[in-house]
């Protein structure tokens, strides 16, 4: 069984930085990870690229040949990837063993993980290839400086959860750049009444019922929770990775195999 992270989030949320930091951490602790670029517009990488969508299609070429704008060209590229699941993707996956760990660095266009089925179909293909997949959703920590931004980020994450139907880890990225951390606990473990009061202050009275419904979904039902990530701290990276490992059951097969072997050895005695 293989393991995979699908790294998504709005543009500028730090997805590629997360991938490179995780790769460096794993290299330091002697753990193997392979990072895959699924962004046809990417040009600079701070990690070794194990698989690269630009081998079959690039944003620049599509814009030039088809006369499309950036968003239209990106959607064309991702649909082209979907059309090549049984060709390029399968061929590339043959280079990895059953227990390999892949991290897919995805584009930041929000429609890819909220209502367009490309990534959902891509994940389904990985699952058919016996991969356990977890979604890692990154949200810029600047979103917790304002309650309306925070709720907006929660709704985007929830939309991705519903669309992709996978184990889901939400991460507050760029914590190292957040100057004021005094209110962080209000968002990591939100108190519904406090959030509702702040939201009502920001918005007009006619939105009171909507605000209440949103806060109940985020706070009282615990639908969306975030883990802070400071890439300067190895302990922070390790904690995030441990949570993801639990989600995708990484290492559980190995534990079972070791236990089985021990039992066989004991029987021989």
């Amino acid at each position: 069984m293989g393991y995979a992270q699908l790294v998504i989030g709005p543009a500028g949320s730090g997805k590629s930085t997360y991938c490179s930091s995780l790769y460096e951490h794993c290299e330091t602790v002697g753990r193997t990870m392979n990072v895959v670029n699924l962004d046809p517009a990417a040009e600079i990488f701070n990690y070794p690229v194990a698989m690269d969508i630009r081998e079959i299609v690039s944003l620049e070429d599509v814009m030039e040949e088809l006369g499309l704008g950036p968003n239209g060209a990106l959607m064309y590229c991702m649909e082209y990837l979907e059309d090549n699941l049984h060709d390029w993707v399968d061929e590339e996956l043959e280079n990895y063993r059953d227990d390999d760990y892949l991290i897919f660095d995805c584009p930041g266009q929000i429609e890819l993980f909220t209502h367009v089925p490309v990534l959902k179909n891509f994940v389904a293909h990985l699952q058919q290839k016996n991969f356990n997949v977890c979604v890692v959703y990154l949200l810029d920590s600047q979103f917790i400086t304002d309650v309306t931004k925070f709720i907006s980020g929660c709704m985007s994450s929830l939309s991705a959860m519903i669309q992709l139907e996978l184990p889901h880890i939400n991460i507050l990225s760029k914590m190292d750049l957040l100057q004021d951390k005094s209110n962080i606990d209000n968002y990591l473990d939100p108190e519904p009444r406090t959030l509702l009061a702040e939201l009502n202050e920001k918005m007009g009275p006619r939105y009171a019922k909507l605000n209440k419904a949103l806060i109940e979904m985020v706070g009282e039902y615990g639908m969306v929770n975030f883990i802070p990530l400071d890439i300067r701290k190895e302990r922070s990276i390790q904690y995030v990775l441990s949570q993801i490992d639990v989600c995708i059951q990484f290492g559980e097969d190995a534990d079972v195999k070791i236990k089985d072997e021990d039992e066989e050895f004991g029987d021989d005695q």
Side-chain angles (χ1 to χ4, degrees), residues 31 235-247:
R31 181 170 164 180
R235 182 178 297 179
S236 179
I237 298 174
Q238 179 58 43
Y239 179 74
V240 167
L241 182 58
S242 68
Q243 295 300 304
I244 296 169
D245 286 346
V246 170
C247 257

Side-chain angles (χ1 to χ4, degrees), residues 14 41 77 91 109 114 149 182 186 196 212 243:
C77 291
E91 182 179 339
Q109 272 65 14
T114 56
K149 290 182 180 179
S182 59
N186 294 337
L196 182 58
K212 184 175 184 295
Q243 295 300 304

Side-chain angles (χ1 to χ4, degrees), residues 36-178:
V36 179
N37 172 48
L38 289 186
D39 187 352
E43 296 180 351
I44 300 174
F45 302 96
N46 293 321
Y47 53 77
V49 182
M51 295 167 53
D52 192 347
I53 188 178
R54 297 175 307 162
E55 293 178 6
I56 57 170
V57 65
S58 73
L59 188 78
E60 184 178 356
D61 290 343
V62 170
M63 290 177 63
E64 182 179 344
E65 294 179 14
L66 300 181
L68 297 173
N71 286 335
L74 186 133
M75 294 305 300
Y76 178 91
C77 291
M78 299 308 292
E79 289 172 354
Y80 189 83
L81 171 68
E82 184 179 9
D83 291 338
N84 283 271
L85 289 177
H86 298 285
D87 298 317
W88 180 75
V89 174
D90 283 356
E91 182 179 339
E92 291 292 327
L93 290 178
E94 287 177 0
N95 297 322
Y96 301 96
R97 301 188 305 273
D98 289 341
D99 58 348
D100 276 335
Y101 200 128
L102 303 179
I103 306 175
F104 293 92
D105 188 1
C106 299
Q109 272 65 14
I110 192 170
E111 58 266 33
L112 289 174
F113 47 84
T114 56
H115 60 274
V116 174
V118 172
L119 286 183
K120 183 175 183 178
N121 294 336
F122 179 78
V123 166
H125 189 73
L126 289 178
Q127 291 173 324
Q128 290 175 3
K129 294 296 179 181
N130 207 27
F131 274 85
N132 273 3
V133 187
C134 171
V135 170
V136 179
Y137 182 94
L138 269 68
L139 186 70
D140 192 324
S141 59
Q142 296 300 320
F143 273 71
I144 67 173
T145 61
D146 183 277
V147 66
T148 55
K149 290 182 180 179
F150 176 70
I151 296 300
S152 173
C154 287
M155 293 300 101
S156 174
S157 171
L158 185 58
S159 180
M161 291 170 64
I162 294 171
Q163 169 74 1
L164 296 173
E165 299 178 310
L166 288 170
H168 201 99
I169 295 288
N170 294 305
I171 294 175
L172 277 178
S173 62
K174 303 185 180 180
M175 289 299 297
D176 52 310
L177 302 179
L178 186 65

